[in-house]
Amino acid sequence: MITKYIKPLIFTTLITFFTACSSDDDNVNELSGQNAVAIDFDNGVNGDDLLLASATYTKTNAEILTITRLNYIVSNFVLIDANGNEYTYPKDESYFIISEENDNTEINLPNIPAGEYVAMRFGIGVDQDKYQQGAEGQGDFLQKAEDSFMMWSWQAGYKFLNFEGTFTSETVTEAANFKIHMGSHGSSLDNYKEVTVQLPTSALVSDNLSPVIHVGVDANKLLDGSNKIKLSEKAVVMVDEVKSPQIAENATEMFRVDHVHNGEQIQH
């Protein structure tokens, strides 16, 4: 008596399961057209919000920082879909300055082809190919960099990272200034890096889906990443054959995608 009820129940459950799976697949397969992808960079320090000039942060070596500036360049965005296909955002439009002090922490990439994107690759800084186009080849980005304290001079090049503030330590008891300016200085000291981040949830793009990718940024990694940088040893790092490449490597560790918001917004 029990068996004749169980079999129809199982059959009905299987139909419901496969119908649901098919429906999900259809939603992905039906993605078409194009739309914008927004990327929000949420700057923090070791799990805490980044509050410029009004909070202190302690490194593992007991140095205590007050951060007054965190600006960095991100560039050359590539979106990677579930099948491993890559969409490269137009290179000439792919350079952005993230500036906490100017409240400029979100970028917008328009006209992204429809798809289910599961990863993203981007550069930290300005690559040599772009720089070698000369001042005229930079477009309006050169002026934006100058206005945001992201240039030394045209010959010296861009600052990929401008990280400043004050610190104290066991040996430095009165607040002292620190300045970390990272860039590339010819082919012998090319600190341009690329990083790939996985998306915890697919970013869905279509005519009526315009996702926001929320990237968590941990500025603590710059000095307290795989390479430990002691400000008490050297508080101003600009062109340093040892520490500059170490900081550049640390910078690749400070990005992760916290979550993705697949909003139904049309933003062509």
Side-chain angles (χ1 to χ4, degrees):
M1 294 294 293
I2 296 176
T3 305
K4 69 177 182 180
Y5 294 108
I6 292 178
K7 287 183 178 178
L9 179 61
I10 294 174
F11 182 71
T12 302
T13 302
L14 288 174
I15 290 177
T16 303
F17 173 77
F18 285 115
T19 300
C21 291
S22 176
S23 177
D24 289 342
D25 290 341
D26 289 343
N27 288 337
V28 172
N29 292 333
E30 290 174 359
L31 297 175
S32 62
Q34 61 183 19
N35 217 321
V37 172
I39 306 171
D40 179 61
F41 291 85
D42 184 11
N43 296 313
V45 184
N46 199 24
D48 295 325
D49 290 338
L50 173 58
L51 302 175
L52 294 180
S54 61
T56 58
Y57 306 96
T58 304
K59 296 167 56 194
T60 55
N61 66 0
E63 291 181 339
I64 300 173
L65 309 185
T66 298
I67 299 167
T68 58
R69 173 169 291 156
L70 177 64
N71 297 348
Y72 49 90
I73 295 173
V74 288
S75 60
N76 296 321
F77 282 83
V78 177
L79 295 172
I80 305 167
D81 71 15
N83 296 317
N85 300 311
E86 298 186 352
Y87 172 73
T88 300
Y89 190 70
K91 183 177 176 64
D92 287 342
E93 303 170 22
S94 197
Y95 297 84
F96 307 90
I97 297 169
I98 304 301
S99 174
E100 186 70 21
E101 65 186 310
N102 294 328
D103 196 27
N104 184 22
T105 57
E106 183 172 299
I107 66 175
N108 194 59
L109 308 181
N111 305 320
I112 303 298
E116 177 189 7
Y117 296 100
V118 299
M120 177 173 65
R121 184 170 69 248
F122 59 91
I124 307 170
V126 177
D127 56 286
Q128 287 289 319
D129 287 344
K130 180 65 172 177
Y131 180 69
Q132 289 172 0
Q133 291 178 10
E136 292 184 359
Q138 310 305 304
D140 62 357
F141 185 73
L142 182 59
Q143 187 61 51
K144 290 179 181 179
E146 291 178 346
D147 293 343
S148 301
F149 310 102
M150 300 303 286
M151 293 287 297
W152 280 293
S153 66
W154 173 243
Q155 288 187 338
Y158 292 100
K159 298 176 185 177
F160 300 171
L161 167 74
N162 189 333
F163 183 44
E164 298 181 355
T166 62
F167 78 101
T168 59
S169 69
E170 294 177 351
T171 57
V172 181
T173 55
E174 293 188 10
N177 293 327
F178 75 84
K179 292 184 179 182
I180 307 297
H181 296 175
M182 182 189 77
S184 289
H185 306 278
S187 58
S188 61
L189 193 60
D190 185 4
N191 289 315
Y192 172 79
K193 299 291 184 184
E194 290 190 337
V195 59
T196 300
V197 290
Q198 302 299 316
L199 277 55
T201 305
S202 298
L204 304 179
V205 179
S206 72
D207 276 333
N208 63 345
L209 287 173
S210 177
V212 180
I213 300 173
H214 294 268
V215 179
V217 183
D218 184 5
N220 184 62
K221 294 291 186 181
L222 292 169
L223 303 178
D224 225 358
S226 295
N227 300 298
K228 305 300 181 184
I229 308 298
K230 295 183 67 175
L231 295 173
S232 55
E233 291 180 350
K234 188 172 185 178
V236 178
V237 179
M238 295 188 182
V239 184
D240 187 297
E241 292 185 357
V242 176
K243 292 184 183 293
S244 292
Q246 290 177 340
I247 294 168
E249 183 180 343
N250 282 353
T252 66
E253 301 173 6
M254 70 176 182
F255 301 97
R256 68 175 181 84
V257 177
D258 182 74
H259 64 283
V260 176
H261 178 234
N262 285 305
E264 295 185 2
Q265 303 172 11
I266 300 176
Q267 299 179 10
H268 292 300

